[in-house]
């Protein structure tokens, strides 16, 4: 049964905080790491909210005993010049593939909107998935590295971006990951797997791009994680993981799974994104970004204001 979800009022943050560094730029000592606090209360709607259609295994190339059902929620920073923000994502349920990308914010200093790069990259990834699957009937035949390579080769916009793409086949979650977007697998209330951050130094993630200093798809980490019915996958950009500790994510997911939201992944995605946003605005809370800043010798308190993309995927039995 479809449920009409009406997100309540909440704050949308300004685009004035520290951003990820472009690969190749010199490591500067950042003076302005404390996030801006001049928020605007307004009714906002996410640009990339996805309300999933009914998933029928007869329409999906299923090769195992489980199926993935997913929904997303996106909260971009408030910036009239970049109303879509710099994150991008897609959900391709019939092919059992989901993905996120995060355009590197440092390009704004050069007058470049890296969100255009991340959106083109994700669009090309989705096209590559459909192209590859046209000659096969099983998701296990989808080679995510080929998808990433083709998407990269066809993306021509300036800028750079992280990328994380997941697929489900044979009851195994496959992934290719570049940078500091990532995912966690939660089973019976506990994170049993979390992808590692790839970065050359603090706040400078590995990143795909057309510049000579950008990374190529061959640096992507290839991951395979067995999953079982009942697992919850949380895929997101660093706007999520920089602001939410593992134990906090476990708590939010457990609360959602134990409620009526257990059949509505986009609602749980919204709750996770909202929690990340609240932490991002808080100048006193101790966040993962606070911890990593201190490790790098940078004084910073509170969250990191950033675009926040969350995709929640439930692993259901067939």
């Amino acid at each position: 049964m479809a449920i009409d979800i009406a997100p309540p009022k909440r704050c949308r943050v300004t685009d004035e905080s520290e951003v990820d560094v472009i690969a190749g730029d010199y490591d500067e000592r950042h003076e302005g790491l404390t996030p801006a606090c001049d928020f605007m209360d307004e009714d906002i709607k996410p640009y990339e909210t996805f309300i999933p259609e009914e998933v029928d295994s007869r329409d999906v190339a299923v090769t195992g005993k489980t199926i993935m059902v997913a929904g997303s929620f996106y909260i971009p920073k408030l910036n009239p010049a970049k109303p879509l923000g710099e994150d991008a994502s897609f959900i391709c349920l019939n092919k059992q593939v989901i993905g996120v990308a995060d355009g590197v914010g440092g390009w704004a200093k050069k007058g470049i909107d890296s969100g255009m790069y991340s959106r083109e990259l994700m669009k090309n990834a989705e096209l590559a998935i459909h192209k590859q699957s046209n000659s096969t009937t099983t998701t296990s035949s989808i080679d995510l590295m080929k998808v990433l390579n083709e998407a990269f080769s066809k993306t021509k916009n300036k800028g750079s971006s992280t990328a994380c793409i997941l697929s489900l086949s044979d009851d195994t979650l496959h992934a290719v990951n570049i940078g500091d977007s990532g995912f966690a697998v939660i089973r019976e209330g506990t994170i049993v797997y979390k992808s590692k951050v790839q970065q050359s130094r603090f706040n400078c993630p590995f990143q795909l791009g057309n510049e000579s200093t950008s990374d190529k798809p061959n640096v992507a980490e290839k991951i395979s994680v067995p999953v079982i019915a009942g697992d919850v996958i949380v895929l997101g950009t660093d706007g999520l993981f920089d602001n939410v500790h593992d134990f906090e994510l476990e708590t939010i997911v457990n609360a959602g799974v134990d409620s009526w939201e257990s059949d509505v992944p986009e609602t749980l995605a919204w709750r996770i994104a909202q929690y990340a946003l609240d932490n991002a605005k808080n100048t006193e809370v101790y966040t993962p970004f606070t911890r990593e800043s201190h490790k790098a010798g940078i004084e910073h308190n509170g969250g990191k204001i950033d675009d926040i993309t969350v995709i929640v995927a439930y692993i259901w039995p067939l």
Side-chain angles (χ1 to χ4, degrees), residues 34-250:
T34 301
C37 297
D38 50 336
F39 312 121
M40 295 180 63
D41 284 326
E42 59 180 1
D43 285 314
I44 66 170
K45 293 182 179 179
Y47 289 102
E48 298 294 335
T49 294
F50 178 83
I51 308 298
E53 60 191 34
E54 290 290 330
V55 180
D56 189 332
S57 61
R58 292 171 298 181
D59 299 325
V60 180
V62 178
T63 58
K65 298 178 180 180
T66 57
I67 193 169
M68 180 168 62
V69 179
S72 70
F73 201 85
Y74 178 33
I75 304 177
K77 292 177 291 188
L78 180 61
N79 185 339
K82 295 184 291 183
L84 295 179
E86 293 162 336
D87 284 3
S89 65
F90 71 87
I91 295 176
C92 187
L93 286 184
N94 284 343
K95 309 305 176 185
Q96 294 285 274
V97 187
I98 56 180
V100 299
D102 179 5
V104 174
W107 286 101
K109 299 175 183 178
K110 302 178 184 291
I112 295 172
D113 178 5
S114 62
M116 296 180 66
Y117 183 92
S118 63
R119 288 188 291 274
E120 185 183 8
L121 182 69
M122 290 292 94
K123 177 181 178 181
N124 286 333
E126 196 168 6
L127 290 173
I129 290 164
H130 286 286
K131 176 182 176 182
Q132 195 177 131
S133 65
N134 281 342
S135 59
T136 183
T137 59
T138 64
T139 56
S140 60
S141 297
I142 294 180
D143 186 326
L144 292 183
M145 276 305 302
K146 288 184 179 179
V147 168
L148 189 62
N149 273 294
E150 183 169 342
F152 171 76
S153 67
K154 292 186 176 181
T155 301
K156 304 303 181 183
N157 269 301
K158 294 182 178 180
S160 59
S161 175
T162 68
C164 188
I165 304 174
L166 312 182
S167 68
L168 177 67
S169 64
D170 295 320
D171 305 319
T172 300
L173 194 68
H174 303 281
V176 289
N177 186 39
I178 292 180
D180 56 6
S181 295
F183 69 98
V185 179
I186 300 174
R187 180 174 302 157
E188 296 181 351
T190 302
I191 292 176
V192 295
Y193 180 84
K194 184 179 180 183
S195 58
K196 297 178 181 179
V197 171
Q198 293 179 308
Q199 60 181 6
S200 56
R201 61 181 187 275
F202 171 69
N203 218 31
C204 184
F206 287 11
Q207 52 202 257
L208 297 174
N210 296 314
E211 300 297 318
S212 60
T213 55
S214 298
D215 297 300
K216 308 304 179 188
N218 66 329
V219 305
E221 182 180 10
K222 293 179 284 186
I223 303 165
S224 293
V225 183
V227 292
I228 61 175
D231 285 355
V232 179
I233 314 302
V234 179
L235 170 65
T237 56
D238 66 333
L240 165 63
F241 295 109
D242 278 342
N243 289 300
V244 179
H245 290 285
D246 289 355
F247 74 90
E248 294 174 304
L249 184 58
E250 289 171 342

Side-chain angles (χ1 to χ4, degrees), residues 238-313:
D238 66 333
L240 165 63
F241 295 109
D242 278 342
N243 289 300
V244 179
H245 290 285
D246 289 355
F247 74 90
E248 294 174 304
L249 184 58
E250 289 171 342
T251 300
I252 302 167
V253 169
N254 290 341
V257 169
D258 290 339
S259 72
W260 63 269
E261 297 171 4
S262 61
D263 290 338
V264 191
E266 63 274 17
T267 304
L268 181 54
W270 162 66
R271 293 200 180 279
I272 295 170
Q274 178 63 51
Y275 188 91
L277 176 61
D278 290 342
N279 279 357
K281 297 183 300 181
N282 192 327
T283 59
E284 298 180 357
V285 68
Y286 184 82
T287 64
F289 189 70
T290 306
R291 180 190 63 225
E292 296 306 312
S293 296
H294 292 173
K295 286 183 181 179
I298 299 173
E299 190 64 31
H300 172 77
N301 294 314
K304 177 188 178 184
I305 293 178
D306 203 351
D307 302 314
I308 300 168
T309 296
V310 179
I311 297 179
V312 169

Side-chain angles (χ1 to χ4, degrees), residues 3-10 270:
I3 300 175
D4 187 21
I5 302 165
K9 290 187 70 172
R10 55 195 176 281
W270 162 66

